[in-house]
Amino acid sequence: MSASESGHPEGVGGRHVADGPHDPEHDPRASYVLEPEYVAALTDRIVSTTGRTVPVSSPLDEAPLANIPQSSEEDVAEAFRRARVAQAAWARTSLEERSAALLRLHDLVLDRTPEILDLITLESGKARKHAYDEAAHVALTARYYARTGHKHLDTQRRSGVIPVLTRVDHNRIPKGVVGIISPWNYPLTMAISDGLPALMAGNAVVTKPDAQTMLTALLGAQLIEEAGFPRDLWVVVAGPGRELGTPIIERSDYICFTGSTATGKIIARQCAERLIGCSLELGGKNPILVLRDADVELAAEGAVRASFSNAGQLCVSTERMFVADQVYDRFVERFVARTKAMTLGATLDWEVDMGTLISKDQLDTAVAHVEDAVAKGATVLAGGRARPDLAPYFFEPTILEGVTPEMTCFGNETFGPVVSVYRFHDEADAIARANEGEYGLNGSIYSRDGDRARAIAKHIKCGTVNINEGFASAFGSIDSPMGGMRESGMGRRQGSEGIHRYTESQTVATQRLLKIAPNFGMKAETHAKLMTLSLRALKKLGRA
Ligand code: NAD
């Protein structure tokens, strides 16, 4: 049966086929195969001369998907050579030209969603609706930077040391070639979106996506070229991070990394050695506070999305819920009921509420965290079991109660569909507990009193805080920065910070008429006195 028969008429361009019967009622596992020409068109983009390949298979059913060519250190060097040539020409293009390409990318991504969603789901196992979030996020990011390029990048006039006589221009110069190292959990948007402001600012990109989700990242690269960006402006290498990370960092002018805190620290050290900047988007153990005046039904619905989107394999997903005593029982009853009603599945269909974990490693962590918690006295309110009947690495959406600090999942990121609920009596105590630990990525507050919730947000040590939503309001609002405090990261994506990180600030000061020194044979002491007088006058005039 072909993809077009399985309800996705334009999926993977109609180029993948299922080699087994797809009847979710009797056999919820479908077996999908990508056509070799489709795979080759993608993998040909990888700079690779090693002749080595690594097989990847789908977490839906462990069926092989592709053999991914691997890059060597020399291939990384070649990737940077190409990118540097392309960047030199790209830096001379107008903002209008770059913006037009970003807007074409926006349209292409929306036009090609059936194909994109098929590929993301095949490669990552996530629910189709969560794959859609990725396409939407790329489109939002492309449109935002296309429309705001001038605001962020135009030369700005600044005040000069001598008003009127010193003209100061603040330029934004592209860094050059940006290295992007991305994870597997949101394989399209994590591989692509951070690079769009880099292109808008006049940079080239060399990217190393995670080995498990190369095909989606390569489709993103293909769409970028189709949108009109020169092919060598976005160059892809493939291989293990611990082998290719150093050669990439050694050649980059800036590193954008998304992944675990442990790897982020390694990358930060290497960037420090070279004195290049980096942004690090890392892990989290994200809290939700449900205050006593919360809309309980809204909070329960939001908690399901916040905890189980992409089966919890989301940097900003919720793993800890602190619920006010007054609404605790009602909230837990609704949250558990909604969780138990979720449609679980490992198919390409829209009806699936939660898909599978991506790998055995991810499944092992979820199992270990839940088994450890239960052995130490926690109660499973929902889920708690692996579901090999659905897919090899499937784990149920799981709610735990009675989690204590000795349990692994108390402070460690599960990065899976496991959330703990805690009762609180006092808001100050809830805020302190939400702020425990080393992370500080995303928080959320449910309350009917927006002003009070926003005031509380300032005390939550997280880079984004959502009110009456789990994570999507902040993450989707591209005009404002997103990133982590403490061990959740350094630097920010999105907003002006998300593009300025890819530029060097340059100040050009033009001096007219008077020197910044004694003029007309004036003595140094007299000049100093005049300076003091003018400094006092400028303060009186209210100048900055
Ligand atoms: P990871 O750090 O193991 O891998 C991420 C990327 O880094 C991969 O491409 C990998 O190949 C590469 N890598 C691994 N070792 C490297 C090294 N020594 N040098 C250079 N590159 C190296 O992370 P993961 O487990 O794949 O991803 C999950 C983690 O990412 C979670 O902790 C999650 O919270 C975090 N994450 C954060 C965000 C965010 O925006 N803050 C988004 C997504 C994921």
Side-chain angles (χ1 to χ4, degrees):
M1 186 175 71
S2 75
S4 54
E5 290 163 54
S6 71
H8 308 289
E10 292 149 54
V12 194
R15 283 165 290 200
H16 82 259
V17 294
D19 67 359
H22 175 199
D23 178 357
E25 282 199 6
H26 300 107
D27 176 9
R29 290 199 209 169
S31 189
Y32 301 98
V33 178
L34 294 171
E35 286 187 0
E37 307 78 52
Y38 184 76
V39 171
L42 296 176
T43 54
D44 280 355
R45 310 188 76 84
I46 299 171
V47 182
S48 167
T49 54
T50 60
R52 277 186 294 118
T53 60
V54 165
V56 284
S57 55
S58 173
L60 295 180
D61 57 2
E62 286 180 321
L65 283 178
N67 291 313
I68 306 293
Q70 299 294 287
S71 310
S72 62
E73 184 165 348
E74 291 70 41
D75 293 326
V76 172
E78 170 60 17
F80 274 86
R81 267 192 295 277
R82 290 184 201 174
R84 290 218 176 273
V85 173
Q87 193 270 331
W90 184 247
R92 291 193 290 275
T93 57
S94 67
L95 293 187
E96 281 66 31
E97 197 174 320
R98 300 177 203 170
S99 159
L102 280 180
L103 291 175
R104 281 194 296 272
L105 178 67
H106 170 276
D107 293 347
L108 264 176
V109 167
L110 296 183
D111 291 347
R112 302 260 291 268
T113 45
E115 173 189 356
I116 293 170
L117 306 196
D118 275 3
L119 196 58
I120 293 176
T121 305
L122 278 176
E123 224 180 10
S124 71
K126 68 176 62 179
R128 193 172 189 82
K129 61 169 81 166
H130 302 142
Y132 180 79
D133 295 344
E134 298 205 47
H137 189 248
V138 173
L140 279 167
T141 307
R143 174 162 53 84
Y144 173 74
Y145 284 112
R147 293 268 155 83
T148 57
H150 278 291
K151 179 176 123 190
H152 297 309
L153 299 169
D154 279 351
T155 294
Q156 306 277 326
R157 285 290 276 274
R158 305 284 182 208
S159 313
V161 55
I162 303 178
V164 185
L165 301 186
T166 316
R167 167 190 162 147
V168 177
D169 297 305
H170 176 191
N171 295 331
R172 296 276 178 186
I173 310 288
K175 291 263 185 191
V177 181
V178 172
I180 297 185
I181 300 176
S182 59
W184 45 265
N185 63 331
Y186 276 70
L188 183 76
T189 196
M190 289 294 128
I192 301 302
S193 291
D194 275 319
L196 303 183
L199 300 183
M200 188 67 205
N203 299 279
V205 167
V206 171
T207 173
K208 193 213 76 62
D210 191 276
Q212 296 167 89
T213 48
M214 283 299 298
L215 295 175
T216 305
L218 289 163
L219 176 58
Q222 192 183 74
L223 294 172
I224 285 172
E225 187 184 355
E226 280 180 39
F229 294 98
R231 187 177 174 105
D232 285 347
L233 205 60
W234 188 279
V235 192
V236 184
V237 293
R242 63 184 177 284
E243 284 174 24
L244 297 192
T246 303
I248 291 172
I249 294 166
E250 279 170 353
R251 290 168 178 83
S252 294
D253 300 308
Y254 186 87
I255 289 286
C256 167
F257 171 75
T258 306
S260 63
T261 297
T263 308
K265 287 181 181 180
I266 296 173
I267 287 177
R269 276 194 288 273
Q270 295 186 31
C271 290
E273 195 56 45
R274 287 203 54 227
L275 292 180
I276 60 166
C278 59
S279 57
L280 306 170
E281 307 289 346
L282 310 176
K285 188 75 188 173
N286 308 303
I288 287 187
L289 272 61
V290 181
L291 307 187
R292 63 177 179 275
D293 67 346
D295 176 335
V296 168
E297 199 58 47
L298 184 76
E301 185 273 336
V304 169
R305 279 186 293 116
S307 309
F308 305 129
S309 282
N310 197 25
Q313 302 165 117
L314 168 61
C315 55
V316 286
S317 79
T318 300
E319 296 197 1
R320 303 181 296 152
M321 300 221 46
F322 300 95
V323 186
D325 203 19
Q326 295 86 342
V327 292
Y328 183 89
D329 293 334
R330 228 161 19 104
F331 169 80
V332 169
E333 184 270 315
R334 295 311 301 142
F335 183 28
V336 168
R338 281 179 169 276
T339 300
K340 288 185 171 167
M342 288 172 75
T343 303
L344 310 182
T347 72
L348 302 188
D349 299 327
W350 281 105
E351 287 65 37
V352 172
D353 289 325
M354 195 190 93
T356 174
L357 295 170
I358 194 171
S359 63
K360 183 167 181 312
D361 278 358
Q362 287 297 112
L363 174 64
D364 288 348
T365 307
V367 169
H369 280 201
V370 172
E371 280 181 355
D372 167 81
V374 170
K376 292 173 181 162
T379 308
V380 176
L381 300 180
R385 292 177 309 148
R387 290 289 300 274
D389 54 315
L390 295 176
Y393 320 126
F394 211 105
F395 196 80
E396 291 175 335
T398 299
I399 305 173
L400 299 176
E401 192 180 46
V403 169
T404 54
E406 317 76 68
M407 301 175 191
T408 311
C409 70
F410 179 84
N412 294 294
E413 185 186 39
T414 307
F415 214 55
V418 181
V419 61
S420 310
V421 285
Y422 305 91
R423 189 188 290 266
F424 75 80
H425 306 280
D426 171 78
E427 261 168 34
D429 175 49
I431 294 168
R433 287 159 72 189
N435 285 335
E436 271 177 20
E438 301 304 322
Y439 290 120
L441 190 56
N442 179 60
S444 161
I445 302 169
Y446 276 83
S447 165
R448 286 195 167 87
D449 185 341
D451 287 341
R452 207 162 64 84
R454 280 185 288 277
I456 289 174
K458 291 184 180 164
H459 301 282
I460 303 286
K461 293 178 184 166
C462 288
T464 48
V465 180
N466 293 265
I467 316 278
N468 293 332
E469 173 58 52
F471 60 82
S473 300
F475 201 77
S477 301
I478 315 290
D479 192 28
S480 202
M482 184 269 152
M485 297 184 185
R486 307 196 282 188
E487 295 217 343
S488 287
M490 249 170 65
R492 295 288 184 271
R493 59 162 59 106
Q494 308 193 160
S496 56
E497 292 172 53
I499 189 164
H500 286 161
R501 63 185 157 158
Y502 299 127
T503 64
E504 292 285 3
S505 271
Q506 181 193 54
T507 295
V508 177
T510 310
Q511 193 57 34
R512 293 181 285 212
L513 297 175
L514 289 181
K515 295 180 284 180
I516 313 284
N519 281 277
F520 317 116
M522 188 185 284
K523 286 190 176 139
E525 188 182 358
T526 317
H527 176 256
K529 278 185 183 153
L530 263 178
M531 278 298 289
T532 300
L533 276 177
S534 43
L535 290 171
R536 289 193 200 288
L538 288 169
K539 180 184 171 233
K540 277 217 174 81
L541 289 169
R543 299 287 297 234

